[in-house]
């Protein structure tokens, strides 16, 4: 990132295009909407020359839209979302949001650090989910940087301060998320956090993908998915991992070769599929390049669209959109029903703070938490 030029942001409506013609990606800052209390929610639209655009809004540092061309060149939105800030606040689906402080579940909404027990908000039965009632997804982030670099990438950084005790978590946390779109159509999402007291952090992005496109939405059961994971973490009835690391071989959880999602989604003989109402499980990624390993490849034959998710985290939650129940109006007034989108959320394992054998989510003062994930967009040949 040698030659990043940073732009002073003065006008909310200004179009920021640095030197025009030579640059392959632009960043445009615009107003998205207003909260009831008058708070303005801004958006930054990142776009490249190939028709890929990503819109990020300050409410929840949320990926509100991701448009990509299909194999015929038709551009459409491949993530679920809402048109207004009020809908994001009203619905419990975390569409496209940045999740924190701790993505996924913490059992009994409690954990201990160095002998001190912390009680979190129980917002999912007895358990804690996605940072609690006012997690990072419900907060208004501040745009701290919009940049373009000589390699043709455009980016936006959003930041927030989470005070000591927020949601029950210890430490004042300074968090930031940078979305960067490059000229190859890869969207990099870089999550960072620091703390002033020992705490836990597990940030991720909660986008729901549907590669058929938003205008002609078809259920994701016909998508093909590959996850390079030889094991997953089975759950109990509250979707908390039991602690077992189970081999995927011979189970509906074996996605090491591309599999049609619908092929085993209705397997009523598999206890884990039953407990999850489908897939809602943490996959333990096989050893690979720890700096950036493939977490999943998703393709849709009809449109030819493909995404690959890369991450530096040890696992990915595959959630097949089981709680989308047709009560959530999405963009353009489209109701999202069960299986209309799926999430691939790179992270540490759920309930890691209560499972000493799981990778640690601990963050000390003086350290920096970093989670870099990439969504590489394209079409299959
Ligand atoms: C996650 C969880 C799901 C569900 C959704 C939000 O991805 O794994 O169980 O809670 O968020 O509806």
């Amino acid at each position: 990132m040698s030659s990043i030029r940073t732009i002073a942001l003065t006008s909310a409506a200004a179009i920021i295009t640095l030197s025009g013609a030579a640059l392959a990606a632009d960043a445009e800052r615009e107003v998205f909407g207003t909260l009831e209390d008058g708070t303005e929610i801004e958006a930054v639209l990142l776009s490249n020359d190939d028709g890929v655009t990503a819109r990020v809004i300050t409410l929840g540092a949320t990926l509100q839209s991701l448009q990509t061309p299909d194999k015929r060149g038709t551009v459409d939105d491949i993530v679920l979302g809402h048109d207004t800030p009020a809908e994001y606040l009203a619905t419990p689906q975390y569409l496209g949001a940045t999740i924190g402080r701790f993505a996924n579940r913490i059992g009994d909404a409690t954990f201990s650090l160095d002998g001190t027990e912390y009680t979190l908000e129980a917002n999912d039965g007895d358990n804690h989910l996605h940072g609690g009632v006012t997690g990072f997804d419900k907060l208004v982030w501040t745009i701290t940087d919009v940049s373009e670099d000589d390699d043709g990438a455009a980016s936006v950084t959003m930041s927030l301060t989470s005070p000591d005790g927020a949601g029950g978590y210890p430490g004042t946390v300074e968090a930031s998320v940078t979305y960067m779109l490059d000229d190859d159509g890869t969207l990099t999402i870089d999550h960072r956090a620091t703390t002033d007291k020992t705490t836990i952090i597990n940030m991720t992005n909660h986008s729901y993908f549907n590669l058929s496109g938003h205008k002609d939405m078809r259920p994701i059961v016909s998508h093909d998915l590959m996850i390079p994971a030889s094991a997953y973490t089975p759950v109990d009835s509250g979707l908390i991992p039991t602690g077992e690391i189970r081999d995927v071989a011979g189970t509906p959880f074996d996605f090491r070769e591309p599999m049609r999602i619908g092929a085993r989604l209705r397997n009523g003989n598999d206890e884990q599929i039953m407990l999850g109402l489908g897939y809602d499980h943490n996959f333990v990624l096989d050893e690979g390049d720890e700096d950036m390993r493939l977490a999943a490849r998703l393709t849709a034959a009809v449109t030819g669209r493909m995404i690959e998710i890369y991450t530096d985290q040890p696992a990915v939650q595959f959630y097949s959109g089981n709680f989308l129940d047709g009560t959530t109006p999405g963009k353009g007034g489209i109701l999202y029903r069960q299986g209309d989108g799926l999430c691939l959320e790179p992270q540490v394992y759920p309930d890691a703070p209560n499972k000493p054998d799981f990778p640690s989510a601990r963050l000390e003062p003086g350290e920096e938490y970093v989670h870099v994930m990439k969504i590489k967009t394209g079409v299959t040949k």
Side-chain angles (χ1 to χ4, degrees), residues 19-339:
S19 61
L23 290 174
D26 293 331
E28 186 179 334
R29 191 168 174 169
E30 55 199 19
V31 175
F32 179 70
T34 310
L35 298 182
E36 253 180 32
D37 69 1
T39 307
E40 193 169 81
I41 303 301
E42 291 183 78
V44 173
L45 185 69
L46 308 174
S47 50
N48 79 3
D49 283 347
D50 293 331
V52 179
T53 63
R55 179 184 289 109
V56 184
I57 60 170
T58 52
L59 181 58
T62 296
L63 181 61
Q64 190 263 343
S65 115
L66 179 61
Q67 308 239 7
T68 70
D70 70 4
K71 62 185 177 191
R72 292 178 199 86
T74 306
V75 173
D76 199 359
D77 205 340
I78 61 164
V79 295
L80 309 190
H82 298 294
D83 290 324
T84 66
E87 287 163 326
Y88 278 103
L89 289 182
T91 53
Q93 308 289 358
Y94 306 88
L95 302 182
T98 293
I99 306 293
R101 296 185 183 189
F102 194 93
N104 218 314
R105 292 177 172 79
I106 296 178
D108 290 330
T110 180
F111 70 100
S112 293
L113 274 179
D114 304 326
T116 304
E117 187 170 292
Y118 295 96
T119 303
L120 305 170
E121 292 159 357
N123 61 331
D124 188 57
D126 292 338
N127 302 323
H128 178 80
L129 174 68
H130 290 333
V133 178
T134 315
F136 287 179
D137 61 294
K138 295 281 187 291
L139 298 173
V140 181
W141 295 59
T142 302
I143 297 175
T144 46
D145 189 69
V146 177
S147 302
E148 294 173 354
D149 67 22
D150 287 345
D151 296 331
S155 67
V156 55
T157 300
M158 299 184 181
S159 305
L160 66 72
T161 301
S162 175
D164 189 11
Y169 292 98
T172 302
V173 164
E174 303 288 345
S176 72
V177 182
T178 299
Y179 288 84
M180 182 180 77
L181 178 66
D182 69 25
D183 55 355
D184 292 336
T186 298
L187 183 67
T188 301
I189 311 177
D190 180 319
H191 309 81
R192 286 173 194 253
T194 57
T195 182
D196 63 357
K197 279 186 197 160
T198 303
T199 192
I200 54 168
I201 295 284
N202 183 30
M203 292 169 68
T204 195
N205 180 271
H206 205 285
S207 287
Y208 290 69
F209 299 99
N210 187 319
L211 303 185
S212 62
H214 204 265
K215 289 194 207 84
D216 186 21
M217 188 171 290
R218 298 164 201 201
I220 52 83
V221 287
S222 59
H223 288 23
D224 294 306
L225 179 64
M226 194 277 283
I227 301 177
S230 303
Y232 77 108
T233 52
V235 292
D236 65 17
S237 58
L239 300 182
I240 300 294
T242 60
E244 180 189 349
I245 310 282
R246 188 178 291 173
D247 197 330
V248 296
T251 77
F253 295 85
D254 192 349
F255 283 94
R256 290 172 295 180
E257 297 296 328
M259 283 294 293
R260 189 62 44 105
I261 289 172
R264 300 166 299 180
L265 183 64
R266 296 178 196 278
N267 186 340
N269 295 317
D270 187 281
E271 185 207 17
Q272 286 296 315
I273 292 283
M274 295 284 286
L275 288 171
L277 309 181
Y279 294 102
D280 197 352
H281 295 80
N282 170 65
F283 288 70
V284 177
L285 295 171
D286 289 342
E287 296 300 319
D289 181 357
E290 279 185 18
D291 289 337
M292 199 46 63
R293 62 176 75 140
L294 182 69
R297 179 181 297 120
L298 183 69
T299 55
V302 177
T303 60
R305 285 198 184 86
M306 180 213 65
I307 56 166
E308 288 177 340
I309 310 283
Y310 293 84
T311 184
D312 56 10
Q313 296 299 294
V316 65
Q317 179 88 5
F318 166 35
Y319 166 57
S320 53
N322 314 321
F323 299 121
L324 296 171
D325 58 5
T327 58
T328 304
K331 289 179 275 194
I334 292 176
L335 286 185
Y336 298 143
R337 306 175 71 239
Q338 195 173 43

